[in-house]
C-alpha cells in the first residue's frame, strides 16, 4: 500500500519531514503558491530545493507516479508541488509549461475569489470558466498540469469537468451532504467528477468537517463510505489540508493576500480567526494509520482501504502528470 496525502501547507521543518517517515507517508502534494506572482513562486521552489539538499534521506522532489514507488522503496517521501491559485501564471499562458517544467503538478483555477480563469466559491455570481480559462485548461491538459477546483464555485467546477479533456481533481474538500460549507461540494459536482475519472481528496481541515475539531473518526469514515457510493471507490483519496505548525498570521495571507485592505475571515470568524485545532485522531503525518484503521473498522476491504489511502492517487499521477498524447 502507498500512502499519499494530496494537500498540505505546513510550516515545513525537519520535525515534519521525520513525522512523514514515521507515518509511512510516501508522497505529499504541497502548496507552493497562494497569491504569489511567478517570481515569488520561484523563490518558494528555491526554498524547497534547499530542503531537498539538506534532508535527502527524508524527502526529494517528486514529478511522476514512479517517484512515489521510489519513495516507498527508499523509505523517503516524494514532494509534489501545486498552486492554490493561478497567480503564478499571471496573465501569460506561456508560463503554464514553465511552471510544469519547474515541477508544478496541480493548479487551482481559483482561490475563493474570481480569477482570470474561473469563479471562486465565495463570489455571489458564478459566471463559469472564462475565455482565458478555456485556453489555460487546454494548455494544462497538453503539458500535464492537473486542473484543481477545490476552492471554485459550482458552475465553474462543472464547466472545468466538461471543458477539460483530461480528468480534473478536487484535491481537498468534502461532500456538502455531510457538512454544508462554501468549500464543500454538491452531489452534482461529485457525480460529474466521478463519471469523468476525476479525483476527490477528503479534507481534514476542521472548518470542512461535521462537528469541526470534534469530528469523530467514525463520522469521517461514514462520510467516505457515502461518497464512495455516490461517485465510485476508484475516485476518492485523501487531501488533508494539514497546516501544521503554521502561525495564525499565515491564515490571514491565505484568505486576504493582497486583494483587500479589510480582514476576510473565510469560514472562520472574528472570534475564531486563526487555525482551528485538528481532530485528536489526526494531528500530524504520524496519524494516517488511524484513518486506515478507521476505514477497515467501518467495513472497507483491504483493497478498498489501500485505494483510498493512496493507490487511487497513484494511478491518477501515472495517467495525468505527463504530456498529452494528442
Amino acid at each position: 500500500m502507498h500512502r499519499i496525502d494530496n494537500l498540505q501547507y505546513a510550516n515545513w521543518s525537519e520535525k515534519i519531514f521525520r513525522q512523514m517517515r514515521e507515518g509511512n507517508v510516501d508522497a505529499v502534494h504541497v502548496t507552493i503558491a497562494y497569491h504569489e506572482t511567478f517570481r515569488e513562486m520561484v523563490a518558494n521552489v528555491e526554498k524547497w530545493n534547499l530542503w531537498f539538499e539538506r534532508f535527502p534521506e527524508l524527502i526529494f522532489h517528486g514529478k511522476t507516479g514512479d517517484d512515489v514507488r521510489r519513495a516507498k522503496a527508499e523509505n523517503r517521501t516524494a514532494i509534489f508541488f501545486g498552486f492554490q491559485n493561478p497567480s503564478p501564471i499571471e496573465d501569460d499562458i506561456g508560463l503554464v509549461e514553465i511552471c510544469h517544467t519547474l515541477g508544478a503538478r496541480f493548479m487551482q483555477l481559483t482561490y475563493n475569489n474570481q480569477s482570470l480563469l474561473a469563479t471562486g466559491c465565495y463570489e455571489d455570481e458564478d459566471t463559469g470558466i472564462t475565455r482565458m480559462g478555456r485556453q489555460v485548461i487546454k494548455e494544462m491538459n497538453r503539458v500535464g498540469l492537473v486542473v484543481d477546483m477545490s476552492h471554485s464555485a459550482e458552475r465553474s467546477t462543472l464547466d472545468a469537468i466538461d471543458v477539460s479533456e483530461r480528468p480534473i481533481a478536487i484535491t481537498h474538500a468534502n461532500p456538502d451532504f455531510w457538512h454544508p460549507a462554501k468549500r464543500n461540494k454538491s452531489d452534482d459536482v461529485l457525480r460529474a467528477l466521478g463519471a469523468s475519472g476525476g479525483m476527490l481528496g477528503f479534507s481534514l481541515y476542521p472548518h470542512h468537517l461535521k462537528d469541526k475539531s470534534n469530528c469523530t473518526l467514525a463520522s469521517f469514515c461514514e462520510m467516505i463510505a457515502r461518497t464512495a457510493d455516490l461517485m465510485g471507490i476508484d475516485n476518492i483519496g485523501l487531501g488533508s489540508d494539514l497546516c501544521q505548525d503554521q502561525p495564525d498570521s499565515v491564515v490571514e495571507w491565505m484568505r486576504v493576500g493582497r486583494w483587500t485592505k479589510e480582514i476576510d475571515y473565510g469560514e472562520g470568524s472574528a472570534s475564531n480567526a486563526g487555525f482551528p485545532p485538528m481532530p485528536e485522531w489526526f494531528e500530524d503525518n504520524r496519524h494516517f494509520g488511524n484513518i486506515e484503521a478507521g476505514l477497515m473498522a467501518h467495513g472497507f476491504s483491504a483493497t478498498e482501504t489501500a485505494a483510498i489511502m493512496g493507490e487511487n492517487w497513484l494511478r491518477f499521477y501515472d495517467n495525468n502528470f505527463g504530456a498529452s498524447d494528442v
Side-chain angles (χ1 to χ4, degrees), residues 109-301:
L109 300 195
T110 68
Y111 185 77
N112 295 340
N113 294 351
Q114 180 75 38
S115 75
L116 291 174
L117 309 182
T119 303
C121 61
Y122 274 67
E123 299 287 359
D124 292 332
E125 300 293 332
D126 180 6
T127 56
I129 300 296
T130 65
R131 294 172 67 221
M132 181 179 176
R134 290 174 180 272
Q135 296 302 313
V136 167
I137 289 173
K138 183 177 180 180
E139 181 70 354
M140 292 173 72
N141 289 169
R142 183 182 74 84
V143 304
L145 182 58
V146 175
V147 174
D148 183 355
M149 301 300 282
S150 295
H151 284 253
S152 299
E154 176 102 348
R155 176 182 168 187
S156 290
T157 303
L158 292 169
D159 279 358
I161 293 169
D162 183 57
V163 169
S164 182
E165 295 181 355
R166 302 178 77 168
I168 77 159
I170 295 173
T171 59
H172 55 298
N174 293 323
D176 183 78
F177 69 70
W178 181 64
H179 176 63
K182 290 183 178 180
R183 277 264 289 100
N184 286 344
K185 305 304 177 182
S186 72
D187 288 6
D188 287 345
V189 165
L190 297 179
R191 288 193 190 97
L193 185 67
S196 64
M199 280 287 296
L200 172 70
F202 295 110
S203 170
L204 286 137
Y205 190 63
H207 287 309
H208 307 150
L209 301 176
K210 182 187 290 187
D211 300 319
K212 299 186 181 292
S213 301
N214 295 319
C215 177
T216 66
L217 177 59
S219 177
F220 185 74
C221 292
E222 170 66 20
M223 176 267 296
I224 292 176
R226 291 176 60 190
T227 309
D229 290 339
L230 183 68
M231 59 180 292
I233 190 70
D234 294 331
N235 304 102
I236 56 177
L238 301 176
S240 71
D241 208 4
L242 182 65
C243 298
Q244 184 182 346
D245 293 346
Q246 292 283 19
D248 285 347
S249 59
V250 167
V251 80
E252 184 174 324
W253 166 246
M254 293 160 62
R255 294 168 177 165
V256 175
R258 288 178 285 242
W259 65 271
T260 178
K261 294 180 180 180
E262 300 176 4
I263 298 298
D264 186 295
Y265 294 108
E267 288 170 287
S269 64
S271 61
N272 185 22
F275 289 105
M278 297 295 290
E280 62 180 5
W281 46 271
F282 188 86
E283 296 177 334
D284 59 52
N285 283 277
R286 295 171 295 180
H287 298 153
F288 280 96
N290 292 339
I291 299 176
E292 181 180 333
L295 293 172
M296 296 287 286
H298 187 79
F300 285 98
S301 69

Side-chain angles (χ1 to χ4, degrees), residues 39-58:
R39 187 61 186 87
E40 290 169 334
M41 178 275 296
V42 171
N44 288 336
V45 173
E46 291 178 22
K47 290 179 184 178
W48 272 105
N49 284 344
L50 289 174
W51 284 319
F52 296 143
E53 184 177 348
R54 287 184 61 194
F55 306 109
E57 76 283 9
L58 300 175

Side-chain angles (χ1 to χ4, degrees), residues 1-4 26 72 199 233-234 236-238 291-293 295-296 300-315:
M1 178 193 301
H2 295 87
R3 286 185 180 174
I4 298 175
D26 302 306
K72 185 174 183 63
M199 280 287 296
I233 190 70
D234 294 331
I236 56 177
L238 301 176
I291 299 176
E292 181 180 333
L295 293 172
M296 296 287 286
F300 285 98
S301 69
T303 299
E304 291 169 334
T305 299
I308 296 166
M309 294 302 298
E311 299 304 321
N312 287 341
W313 276 124
L314 181 54
R315 184 186 64 253

